[in-house]
Amino acid sequence: SGVPVIVLVPKDALDCYVLTIQAFNYAEEFRCPVFIASNKEIGMTKESFDLATVTLPPLVERTLYTGDQYLPFEADPDKAPPFLPIGGKTLVRQTSSTHGPDGFITIDPQTIAANQQRLRNKLHAARERISLYEENILPDTDTLVISYGITSRAVEDAASALAEKGKPVSTLSLKTLYPVPEQVILAAAANFKRVVVIEMNLGQYVNEIKRILSGKKIDFYGQMDGVLIPPAKIMEVIKNG
């Protein structure tokens, strides 16, 4: 339908656990699907973490309707409508077709456009709040390496190895891919002359970063051959461009 979705991407087992909680929270708040873009490498890796040391996000409970005249899709222009449990005295209509606030199918262009705009606004209004990320911004570095997912683990190893060689770089690991965390990317890259994007495909996300950082020098390395990108390759890309 052209409206934005929420896509979260973990880099390890701990992220899978925490981001699953966040995904349920966002689904309750925004009443939309939330995708967790994990991969088989994480699923097939055996690793552990101590939950006692992890700060988990508080659970978000769904907002329930408390009035008398319930319309299943009536909401503020930048919010999701409240829930009303199905099975009560009030008839609750649900449909995936274009509809009005009352849940009835409609072909009225203005009604459809208003609803589509609301679906967009409810996520964009909360974009900064739902932009999850990790960053390691080091002083006196001129290169920022942006990555996401399991590739971020290799980037961390590469950055550590480069620091030991006296050639440190800064890193930004995105955990929210969509809606695109534009302000996070802009703020992180503000003071860097060069940005390197590493992703395990042929360039699915780098174009978003180029759009946001249109005035920056951006180098890209992508790989899609069934093999994880190793830290040595990332170090080579950072060194040689």
Side-chain angles (χ1 to χ4, degrees), residues 92-128:
V92 179
R93 295 182 178 87
Q94 295 293 326
T95 177
S96 59
S97 300
T98 53
H99 55 265
D102 56 7
F104 285 104
I105 294 174
T106 183
I107 58 173
D108 178 65
Q110 290 185 334
T111 301
I112 295 170
N115 190 53
Q116 295 297 94
Q117 188 65 44
R118 180 185 64 78
L119 294 175
R120 182 180 187 275
N121 290 347
K122 70 178 180 180
L123 294 186
H124 280 209
R127 188 198 305 240
E128 291 188 40

Side-chain angles (χ1 to χ4, degrees), residues 13-168:
L14 176 58
D15 268 0
C16 286
Y17 191 94
V18 175
L19 292 182
T20 297
I21 297 174
Q22 292 283 24
F24 274 95
N25 282 345
Y26 294 157
E28 292 285 3
E29 178 180 356
F30 299 108
R31 288 190 66 171
C32 69
V34 180
F35 299 89
I36 299 179
S38 186
N39 54 29
K40 70 177 180 63
E41 284 77 16
I42 296 177
M44 296 175 67
T45 299
K46 185 177 182 180
E47 57 185 342
S48 62
F49 53 87
D50 184 0
L51 267 179
T53 66
V54 178
T55 300
L56 298 176
L59 297 182
V60 173
E61 299 296 338
R62 61 184 54 180
T63 302
L64 297 178
Y65 182 76
T66 56
D68 297 323
Q69 302 295 323
Y70 182 67
L71 294 176
F73 296 102
E74 184 178 56
D76 292 336
D78 61 349
K79 296 290 190 300
F83 284 87
L84 187 67
I86 295 175
K89 294 181 179 180
T90 302
L91 178 64
V92 179
R93 295 182 178 87
Q94 295 293 326
T95 177
S96 59
S97 300
T98 53
H99 55 265
D102 56 7
F104 285 104
I105 294 174
T106 183
I107 58 173
D108 178 65
Q110 290 185 334
T111 301
I112 295 170
N115 190 53
Q116 295 297 94
Q117 188 65 44
R118 180 185 64 78
L119 294 175
R120 182 180 187 275
N121 290 347
K122 70 178 180 180
L123 294 186
H124 280 209
R127 188 198 305 240
E128 291 188 40
R129 176 165 58 85
I130 64 178
S131 293
L132 309 176
Y133 64 96
E134 290 179 1
E135 64 179 1
N136 185 25
I137 306 299
L138 301 177
D140 302 321
T141 55
D142 60 8
T143 297
L144 174 69
V145 184
I146 300 178
S147 61
Y148 58 87
I150 197 168
T151 305
S152 290
R153 301 175 74 162
V155 168
E156 290 174 358
D157 289 344
S160 295
L162 287 170
E164 292 177 0
K165 295 176 179 290
K167 300 177 181 179

Side-chain angles (χ1 to χ4, degrees), residues 161-184:
L162 287 170
E164 292 177 0
K165 295 176 179 290
K167 300 177 181 179
V169 296
S170 294
T171 60
L172 172 65
S173 175
L174 301 176
K175 298 183 186 296
T176 299
L177 289 188
Y178 297 99
V180 178
E182 296 184 2
Q183 293 305 313
V184 169

